[in-house]
PDB file of all heavy atoms in Angstrom:
ATOM      1  N   GLU A 206     -16.279 -43.993 -59.963  1.00 90.00           N
ATOM      2  CA  GLU A 206     -15.150 -44.056 -59.048  1.00 90.00           C
ATOM      3  C   GLU A 206     -13.826 -43.546 -59.651  1.00 90.00           C
ATOM      4  O   GLU A 206     -13.103 -42.801 -59.004  1.00 90.00           O
ATOM      5  CB  GLU A 206     -14.970 -45.498 -58.560  1.00 90.00           C
ATOM      6  CG  GLU A 206     -14.621 -45.559 -57.090  1.00 90.00           C
ATOM      7  CD  GLU A 206     -14.754 -46.970 -56.573  1.00 90.00           C
ATOM      8  OE1 GLU A 206     -15.930 -47.439 -56.420  1.00 90.00           O
ATOM      9  OE2 GLU A 206     -13.748 -47.608 -56.346  1.00 90.00           O
ATOM     10  N   ASP A 207     -13.549 -43.961 -60.908  1.00 92.00           N
ATOM     11  CA  ASP A 207     -12.266 -43.534 -61.475  1.00 92.00           C
ATOM     12  C   ASP A 207     -12.262 -42.040 -61.745  1.00 92.00           C
ATOM     13  O   ASP A 207     -11.231 -41.360 -61.594  1.00 92.00           O
ATOM     14  CB  ASP A 207     -11.925 -44.335 -62.753  1.00 92.00           C
ATOM     15  CG  ASP A 207     -13.124 -44.371 -63.726  1.00 92.00           C
ATOM     16  OD1 ASP A 207     -14.253 -44.160 -63.286  1.00 92.00           O
ATOM     17  OD2 ASP A 207     -12.868 -44.619 -64.930  1.00 92.00           O
ATOM     18  N   ALA A 208     -13.406 -41.490 -62.154  1.00 92.00           N
ATOM     19  CA  ALA A 208     -13.506 -40.020 -62.381  1.00 92.00           C
ATOM     20  C   ALA A 208     -13.234 -39.278 -61.097  1.00 92.00           C
ATOM     21  O   ALA A 208     -12.517 -38.277 -61.074  1.00 92.00           O
ATOM     22  CB  ALA A 208     -14.873 -39.674 -62.931  1.00 92.00           C
ATOM     23  N   VAL A 209     -13.784 -39.810 -59.992  1.00 94.00           N
ATOM     24  CA  VAL A 209     -13.620 -39.175 -58.707  1.00 94.00           C
ATOM     25  C   VAL A 209     -12.137 -39.176 -58.312  1.00 94.00           C
ATOM     26  O   VAL A 209     -11.582 -38.183 -57.830  1.00 94.00           O
ATOM     27  CB  VAL A 209     -14.501 -39.907 -57.627  1.00 94.00           C
ATOM     28  CG1 VAL A 209     -14.099 -39.488 -56.229  1.00 94.00           C
ATOM     29  CG2 VAL A 209     -15.970 -39.583 -57.937  1.00 94.00           C
ATOM     30  N   ARG A 210     -11.473 -40.309 -58.538  1.00 95.00           N
ATOM     31  CA  ARG A 210     -10.038 -40.398 -58.196  1.00 95.00           C
ATOM     32  C   ARG A 210      -9.238 -39.397 -59.040  1.00 95.00           C
ATOM     33  O   ARG A 210      -8.311 -38.761 -58.540  1.00 95.00           O
ATOM     34  CB  ARG A 210      -9.520 -41.790 -58.464  1.00 95.00           C
ATOM     35  CG  ARG A 210     -10.097 -42.775 -57.476  1.00 95.00           C
ATOM     36  CD  ARG A 210      -9.046 -43.791 -56.950  1.00 95.00           C
ATOM     37  NE  ARG A 210      -9.623 -44.401 -55.757  1.00 95.00           N
ATOM     38  CZ  ARG A 210     -10.455 -45.430 -55.831  1.00 95.00           C
ATOM     39  NH1 ARG A 210     -10.778 -45.971 -56.994  1.00 95.00           N
ATOM     40  NH2 ARG A 210     -10.955 -45.948 -54.731  1.00 95.00           N
ATOM     41  N   ASP A 211      -9.596 -39.266 -60.330  1.00 96.00           N
ATOM     42  CA  ASP A 211      -8.886 -38.300 -61.206  1.00 96.00           C
ATOM     43  C   ASP A 211      -9.010 -36.896 -60.666  1.00 96.00           C
ATOM     44  O   ASP A 211      -8.024 -36.143 -60.657  1.00 96.00           O
ATOM     45  CB  ASP A 211      -9.494 -38.329 -62.623  1.00 96.00           C
ATOM     46  CG  ASP A 211      -9.052 -39.547 -63.387  1.00 96.00           C
ATOM     47  OD1 ASP A 211      -8.178 -40.290 -62.884  1.00 96.00           O
ATOM     48  OD2 ASP A 211      -9.570 -39.758 -64.514  1.00 96.00           O
ATOM     49  N   VAL A 212     -10.201 -36.535 -60.245  1.00 97.00           N
ATOM     50  CA  VAL A 212     -10.429 -35.162 -59.767  1.00 97.00           C
ATOM     51  C   VAL A 212      -9.539 -34.900 -58.553  1.00 97.00           C
ATOM     52  O   VAL A 212      -8.858 -33.884 -58.477  1.00 97.00           O
ATOM     53  CB  VAL A 212     -11.926 -34.982 -59.356  1.00 97.00           C
ATOM     54  CG1 VAL A 212     -12.146 -33.612 -58.705  1.00 97.00           C
ATOM     55  CG2 VAL A 212     -12.816 -35.110 -60.598  1.00 97.00           C
ATOM     56  N   ALA A 213      -9.521 -35.839 -57.603  1.00 98.00           N
ATOM     57  CA  ALA A 213      -8.729 -35.644 -56.388  1.00 98.00           C
ATOM     58  C   ALA A 213      -7.222 -35.632 -56.722  1.00 98.00           C
ATOM     59  O   ALA A 213      -6.469 -34.806 -56.180  1.00 98.00           O
ATOM     60  CB  ALA A 213      -9.045 -36.770 -55.408  1.00 98.00           C
ATOM     61  N   ALA A 214      -6.817 -36.521 -57.614  1.00 97.00           N
ATOM     62  CA  ALA A 214      -5.390 -36.595 -57.961  1.00 97.00           C
ATOM     63  C   ALA A 214      -4.960 -35.304 -58.658  1.00 97.00           C
ATOM     64  O   ALA A 214      -3.844 -34.794 -58.395  1.00 97.00           O
ATOM     65  CB  ALA A 214      -5.137 -37.814 -58.842  1.00 97.00           C
ATOM     66  N   ASP A 215      -5.818 -34.767 -59.531  1.00 95.00           N
ATOM     67  CA  ASP A 215      -5.488 -33.537 -60.237  1.00 95.00           C
ATOM     68  C   ASP A 215      -5.338 -32.354 -59.253  1.00 95.00           C
ATOM     69  O   ASP A 215      -4.429 -31.554 -59.389  1.00 95.00           O
ATOM     70  CB  ASP A 215      -6.588 -33.162 -61.246  1.00 95.00           C
ATOM     71  CG  ASP A 215      -6.345 -33.889 -62.567  1.00 95.00           C
ATOM     72  OD1 ASP A 215      -5.310 -34.558 -62.707  1.00 95.00           O
ATOM     73  OD2 ASP A 215      -7.216 -33.744 -63.468  1.00 95.00           O
ATOM     74  N   ALA A 216      -6.286 -32.275 -58.324  1.00 96.00           N
ATOM     75  CA  ALA A 216      -6.212 -31.184 -57.343  1.00 96.00           C
ATOM     76  C   ALA A 216      -4.914 -31.285 -56.531  1.00 96.00           C
ATOM     77  O   ALA A 216      -4.249 -30.278 -56.304  1.00 96.00           O
ATOM     78  CB  ALA A 216      -7.433 -31.217 -56.436  1.00 96.00           C
ATOM     79  N   ALA A 217      -4.557 -32.512 -56.143  1.00 97.00           N
ATOM     80  CA  ALA A 217      -3.332 -32.707 -55.358  1.00 97.00           C
ATOM     81  C   ALA A 217      -2.103 -32.352 -56.193  1.00 97.00           C
ATOM     82  O   ALA A 217      -1.191 -31.683 -55.693  1.00 97.00           O
ATOM     83  CB  ALA A 217      -3.255 -34.152 -54.880  1.00 97.00           C
ATOM     84  N   ARG A 218      -2.094 -32.807 -57.426  1.00 96.00           N
ATOM     85  CA  ARG A 218      -0.927 -32.523 -58.303  1.00 96.00           C
ATOM     86  C   ARG A 218      -0.722 -31.021 -58.447  1.00 96.00           C
ATOM     87  O   ARG A 218       0.409 -30.526 -58.369  1.00 96.00           O
ATOM     88  CB  ARG A 218      -1.163 -33.132 -59.682  1.00 96.00           C
ATOM     89  CG  ARG A 218      -0.043 -32.913 -60.659  1.00 96.00           C
ATOM     90  CD  ARG A 218      -0.419 -33.331 -62.080  1.00 96.00           C
ATOM     91  NE  ARG A 218      -1.668 -32.738 -62.561  1.00 96.00           N
ATOM     92  CZ  ARG A 218      -1.832 -31.449 -62.913  1.00 96.00           C
ATOM     93  NH1 ARG A 218      -0.800 -30.608 -62.845  1.00 96.00           N
ATOM     94  NH2 ARG A 218      -2.999 -31.000 -63.300  1.00 96.00           N
ATOM     95  N   LYS A 219      -1.817 -30.252 -58.593  1.00 94.00           N
ATOM     96  CA  LYS A 219      -1.706 -28.803 -58.728  1.00 94.00           C
ATOM     97  C   LYS A 219      -1.074 -28.200 -57.487  1.00 94.00           C
ATOM     98  O   LYS A 219      -0.136 -27.399 -57.583  1.00 94.00           O
ATOM     99  CB  LYS A 219      -3.078 -28.148 -58.925  1.00 94.00           C
ATOM    100  CG  LYS A 219      -3.637 -28.354 -60.297  1.00 94.00           C
ATOM    101  CD  LYS A 219      -4.944 -27.586 -60.433  1.00 94.00           C
ATOM    102  CE  LYS A 219      -5.593 -27.936 -61.766  1.00 94.00           C
ATOM    103  NZ  LYS A 219      -6.800 -27.179 -62.009  1.00 94.00           N
ATOM    104  N   ALA A 220      -1.574 -28.568 -56.309  1.00 94.00           N
ATOM    105  CA  ALA A 220      -1.047 -28.001 -55.081  1.00 94.00           C
ATOM    106  C   ALA A 220       0.432 -28.331 -54.913  1.00 94.00           C
ATOM    107  O   ALA A 220       1.241 -27.485 -54.556  1.00 94.00           O
ATOM    108  CB  ALA A 220      -1.876 -28.513 -53.893  1.00 94.00           C
ATOM    109  N   LEU A 221       0.792 -29.611 -55.194  1.00 96.00           N
ATOM    110  CA  LEU A 221       2.166 -30.042 -54.988  1.00 96.00           C
ATOM    111  C   LEU A 221       3.108 -29.339 -55.978  1.00 96.00           C
ATOM    112  O   LEU A 221       4.195 -28.923 -55.628  1.00 96.00           O
ATOM    113  CB  LEU A 221       2.252 -31.567 -55.162  1.00 96.00           C
ATOM    114  CG  LEU A 221       1.563 -32.380 -54.054  1.00 96.00           C
ATOM    115  CD1 LEU A 221       1.422 -33.853 -54.448  1.00 96.00           C
ATOM    116  CD2 LEU A 221       2.327 -32.252 -52.760  1.00 96.00           C
ATOM    117  N   THR A 222       2.646 -29.217 -57.226  1.00 94.00           N
ATOM    118  CA  THR A 222       3.477 -28.561 -58.247  1.00 94.00           C
ATOM    119  C   THR A 222       3.787 -27.135 -57.880  1.00 94.00           C
ATOM    120  O   THR A 222       4.882 -26.631 -58.008  1.00 94.00           O
ATOM    121  CB  THR A 222       2.753 -28.590 -59.603  1.00 94.00           C
ATOM    122  OG1 THR A 222       2.356 -29.934 -59.892  1.00 94.00           O
ATOM    123  CG2 THR A 222       3.659 -28.063 -60.721  1.00 94.00           C
ATOM    124  N   MET A 223       2.726 -26.461 -57.363  1.00 92.00           N
ATOM    125  CA  MET A 223       2.865 -25.020 -57.091  1.00 92.00           C
ATOM    126  C   MET A 223       3.801 -24.773 -55.898  1.00 92.00           C
ATOM    127  O   MET A 223       4.241 -23.636 -55.694  1.00 92.00           O
ATOM    128  CB  MET A 223       1.518 -24.369 -56.881  1.00 92.00           C
ATOM    129  CG  MET A 223       0.653 -24.333 -58.129  1.00 92.00           C
ATOM    130  SD  MET A 223       1.465 -23.601 -59.568  1.00 92.00           S
ATOM    131  CE  MET A 223       1.439 -21.886 -59.103  1.00 92.00           C
ATOM    132  N   LEU A 224       4.099 -25.814 -55.105  1.00 94.00           N
ATOM    133  CA  LEU A 224       5.046 -25.625 -54.005  1.00 94.00           C
ATOM    134  C   LEU A 224       6.401 -25.173 -54.517  1.00 94.00           C
ATOM    135  O   LEU A 224       7.159 -24.466 -53.849  1.00 94.00           O
ATOM    136  CB  LEU A 224       5.216 -26.956 -53.213  1.00 94.00           C
ATOM    137  CG  LEU A 224       4.092 -27.334 -52.264  1.00 94.00           C
ATOM    138  CD1 LEU A 224       4.453 -28.647 -51.601  1.00 94.00           C
ATOM    139  CD2 LEU A 224       3.884 -26.264 -51.214  1.00 94.00           C
ATOM    140  N   ASP A 225       6.747 -25.601 -55.733  1.00 94.00           N
ATOM    141  CA  ASP A 225       8.021 -25.244 -56.302  1.00 94.00           C
ATOM    142  C   ASP A 225       7.966 -23.996 -57.150  1.00 94.00           C
ATOM    143  O   ASP A 225       8.904 -23.693 -57.904  1.00 94.00           O
ATOM    144  CB  ASP A 225       8.532 -26.419 -57.180  1.00 94.00           C
ATOM    145  CG  ASP A 225       8.776 -27.651 -56.328  1.00 94.00           C
ATOM    146  OD1 ASP A 225       9.376 -27.503 -55.251  1.00 94.00           O
ATOM    147  OD2 ASP A 225       8.316 -28.749 -56.734  1.00 94.00           O
TER     148      ASP A 225
END
Side-chain angles (χ1 to χ4, degrees):
Chain A
E206 219 166 290
D207 50 339
V209 167
R210 291 222 165 83
D211 283 353
V212 174
D215 275 356
R218 180 191 51 74
K219 285 185 187 184
L221 292 168
T222 308
M223 293 307 286
L224 283 180
D225 296 315

